Amino acid sequence: MTAPSAQIRLAVPADAAALGRVHVRAWQAAYRGIMPDAFLDGLDPDERGDRWARGLATTRPESSRLVVCIDPQDDPVGFALVGPVRDGGANGSELGELYAINLDPNVWGRGLGQRLLLAATAELSRLGFPAAVLWVATGNSRARRFYEAAGWAADGMERTDDSFGPPIDEVRYRRLLP
Ligand SMILES: CC(C)(COP(=O)(O)OP(=O)(O)OC[C@H]1O[C@@H](n2cnc3c(N)ncnc32)[C@H](O)[C@@H]1OP(=O)(O)O)[C@@H](O)C(=O)NCCC(=O)NCCS
C-alpha cells in the first residue's frame, strides 16, 4: 500500500464494502474530540458499506462523480464525492461542491490526499463548474491545512450541520477551478 503505486479511478459497485471501512476509520480518526466518542465508536463499517452499495447501485446523476484512490490490490483506500452545490439557491448551478473526501488513516501524510483532491477538482472542472465550495468542521485543523495548501480559502460562510447526528460547526471554503 505505497503512495507511488496507488491509482485513482471512478468507483464501481464492488468498492462498496471497502468504502464503508475507509469512511468509518477516517471519521474515527479525524473527528475524535470534535464529535462525541459514543457516536464515533458506534459507527459500523458494514452499515456504511451497505449505504455505499445502495448508492452505487443507483444510477448516479451525470452531474456527480465518486472517485476512489486504490492500492495495488485494487482495494479503495480513499474516496471523494463531488457534484453540484447542495444549497446553492438561484446561482447554485454555477458552483460545484466537494461533498466528502476521506482517506484511510494508514495512508495519511503521503501525498495521496492531494492526489485525490486534484482528481476530484478535475472532475468538477470536467463537469463544467468554474468554481467550487466545500464545508469543513471548524475544528478539523488537519483538513483545513490540507485544503489551504491546495488553494482553497474560507469564504466567510458558517453553519452548524446536524445532518450526521451530533451538530458540527463548519466553515465553507471556496476556490476557482482550473
Ligand atoms: C483530509 C485528508 C484526505 C488529507 O489527507 P492527508 O494524507 O492528510 O494529506 P496529504 O496526502 O496531502 O498529505 C499531506 C501531508 O503529508 C506530507 N507528505 C509526505 N509525503 C508527501 C508527498 N509525497 N507529497 C505531498 N505531501 C507529502 C505533507 O508534508 C503533509 O504534511 P502536513 O499535514 O504535516 O502538512 C485526510 O487527512 C483524511 O481523510 N482525513 C479524514 C477525513 C476528513 O477530515 N476529511 C475532510 C472533511 S471536510
Side-chain angles (χ1 to χ4, degrees):
M1 204 191 282
T2 54
S5 50
Q7 300 292 322
I8 292 175
R9 59 159 169 75
L10 291 178
V12 295
D15 294 329
L19 291 177
R21 284 194 297 276
V22 167
H23 205 157
V24 168
R25 285 171 52 76
W27 273 49
Q28 287 176 337
Y31 292 111
R32 194 69 64 186
I34 297 175
M35 296 178 99
D37 284 349
F39 172 78
L40 293 172
D41 295 338
L43 291 172
D44 176 0
D46 293 334
E47 187 266 333
R48 286 275 145 184
D50 288 346
R51 282 200 213 188
W52 281 113
R54 285 195 295 277
L56 284 162
T58 312
T59 308
R60 197 162 283 289
E62 276 311 298
S63 54
S64 72
R65 298 272 192 277
L66 174 62
V67 291
V68 291
C69 180
I70 57 168
D71 71 7
Q73 285 75 46
D74 204 35
D75 285 325
V77 293
F79 64 86
L81 183 60
V82 299
V85 72
R86 285 171 293 192
D87 56 356
N91 297 321
S93 60
E94 293 170 16
L95 269 185
E97 180 169 346
L98 174 68
Y99 304 133
I101 184 165
N102 287 278
L103 266 189
D104 190 292
N106 276 340
V107 297
W108 287 6
R110 300 183 191 183
L112 275 186
Q114 288 296 349
R115 281 181 55 196
L116 184 57
L117 183 59
L118 206 60
T121 48
E123 286 299 334
L124 284 167
S125 291
R126 211 166 288 141
L127 292 166
F129 297 109
V133 294
L134 62 86
W135 290 93
V136 57
T138 309
N140 190 350
S141 45
R142 182 181 187 105
R144 294 183 68 169
R145 229 180 24 243
F146 165 77
Y147 292 132
E148 286 161 14
W152 294 77
D155 72 356
M157 297 278 283
E158 297 180 1
R159 71 176 183 191
T160 300
D161 183 6
D162 59 5
S163 59
F164 303 108
I168 319 178
D169 291 333
E170 294 180 333
V171 289
R172 198 171 82 166
Y173 277 43
R174 186 183 181 109
R175 68 158 292 177
L176 292 175
L177 295 171

